[in-house]
Amino acid sequence: MSILFDEIPSLDLADFLSGTSEQKAAFVKKLSEAYENIGFVAIKNHGLSQDLQDRLYAAIKKYFTLPDEVKAKYERPEIGYQRGYTGKGKEHAKGRNTGDLKEFYHVGQELSFIPDEDPVKKEYPANVWPEEVPEFKEVAIEAFQTLEKAGKAMLQAIAISLDLPEDYFEDKVAYGNSILRQIHYFPIENPEEVPEDAVRAAEHGDINLITLLMGASADGLQVLRKDGKWIPITALPDQLVVNVGDMLERLTNKKLKSTIHRVVNPPRELMNTSRFSIPFFMHPRSEMDLTCLESCISAENPKQFTDATAGEFLEERLRELGLRK
């Protein structure tokens, strides 16, 4: 039965990780219901402390106040901007040509933590660390690892909801190609000077398995409900917003929904203010097979996707976003 949510459901991850068997089962049921209908939940008790969030936001604000020519030292177009800085307006949503009104900084797996014998180590570029903000490296790595741990717990619950073994995703996301993205929606001093259709982040779906978003510093995030209505996403300060990405939708043959969302511009009088946001895009290893699960294919829901690995799908999408040639 289809459910229309007026707001995204709130869940307590502690119910799943340390609750009774009844609490754990209730968590999985509510999560499944949310992901099959709106694709988003807000969770608390995720392990990311307020102190850690504050330190990370302080570091990225310090970086984004640097002059553009200094920030540009950390731009790496030759690797599709997968590490380091991406300048203003360089990324656009799939199907659009107008760049989003944002700049961002990517952190991936820290190579020194990956065992030498793991072939995935050779696939990833090294992280790029800004010398002007020396504290950024330590706090970004800590946030990456904390969010990755919370993401693995969410994937365990998702696996149970799909009648898969609880550890189904474990080997697929071990040293996965995840990205911690620090976003700055920069101030627009003169709104007349930007293209009429330019927005902070045009409507899009995420590429990955799941996205974990720590509290953004201003309103603006909206999700498209299946009846065509946009509803605002608001999370309490102690919550993470966790949504389904395209890879998980593909694996589950659209049983779980990768819901279109956007970041709208603020009222004109607030266009000259900054907004900061830090999503963690949880990716699997590139060799993960995204072939639709047999259990998600039926006469009523025939197979809707061609077979592909996570790496193949990612490359295709990066080209669509203007980040790969």
Side-chain angles (χ1 to χ4, degrees), residues 2 31-40 209 223-224 226 242-246 248-250 252-261 301 304:
S2 184
L31 182 69
S32 177
E33 195 175 75
Y35 279 176
E36 288 181 26
N37 286 281
I38 199 164
F40 275 76
L209 288 171
V223 61
L224 184 62
K226 56 173 72 166
V242 188
N243 62 279
V244 174
D246 292 349
L248 190 56
E249 179 179 76
R250 195 180 182 103
T252 63
N253 199 33
K254 293 198 172 181
K255 178 183 171 75
L256 304 187
K257 304 291 186 282
S258 176
T259 307
I260 297 295
H261 51 286
N301 186 30
Q304 301 185 52

Side-chain angles (χ1 to χ4, degrees), residues 55-75:
R55 286 187 287 126
L56 182 55
Y57 272 109
I60 68 156
K61 286 176 181 177
K62 187 171 165 185
Y63 174 79
F64 285 122
T65 56
L66 294 170
D68 286 351
E69 60 270 20
V70 176
K71 289 182 288 191
K73 289 194 305 184
Y74 303 103
E75 207 155 28

Side-chain angles (χ1 to χ4, degrees), residues 205-256:
D206 293 341
I207 302 171
N208 38 288
L209 288 171
I210 56 174
T211 301
L212 296 89
L213 174 71
M214 64 177 82
S217 65
D219 293 336
L221 181 61
Q222 297 179 340
V223 61
L224 184 62
R225 213 165 60 174
K226 56 173 72 166
D227 64 349
K229 180 183 178 184
W230 288 97
I231 62 169
I233 299 282
T234 50
L236 297 171
D238 64 344
Q239 292 179 326
L240 293 177
V241 173
V242 188
N243 62 279
V244 174
D246 292 349
M247 289 183 184
L248 190 56
E249 179 179 76
R250 195 180 182 103
L251 182 73
T252 63
N253 199 33
K254 293 198 172 181
K255 178 183 171 75
L256 304 187

Side-chain angles (χ1 to χ4, degrees), residues 48-49 52 55 137-147:
L48 194 74
S49 69
L52 178 54
R55 286 187 287 126
K137 177 178 179 178
E138 184 183 342
V139 69
I141 289 173
E142 188 182 348
F144 185 106
Q145 293 177 324
T146 305
L147 287 161

Side-chain angles (χ1 to χ4, degrees), residues 290-308:
L290 296 179
T291 299
C292 299
L293 295 166
E294 288 292 332
S295 60
C296 295
I297 301 171
S298 64
E300 300 76 43
N301 186 30
K303 186 178 175 185
Q304 301 185 52
F305 298 100
T306 54
D307 298 348

Side-chain angles (χ1 to χ4, degrees), residues 18 92 115 172 181 217 295:
S18 54
H92 58 77
K172 298 165 183 64
R181 174 184 276 196
S217 65
S295 60

Side-chain angles (χ1 to χ4, degrees), residues 62-108:
K62 187 171 165 185
Y63 174 79
F64 285 122
T65 56
L66 294 170
D68 286 351
E69 60 270 20
V70 176
K71 289 182 288 191
K73 289 194 305 184
Y74 303 103
E75 207 155 28
R76 301 289 183 269
E78 68 277 8
I79 55 168
Y81 302 94
Q82 289 305 286
R83 300 291 184 271
Y85 177 65
T86 302
K88 296 169 181 173
K90 294 250 170 102
E91 184 181 69
H92 58 77
K94 180 181 172 183
R96 285 172 63 100
N97 293 315
T98 304
D100 288 341
L101 301 176
K102 67 187 180 195
E103 56 184 341
F104 49 90
Y105 205 99
H106 277 163
V107 173

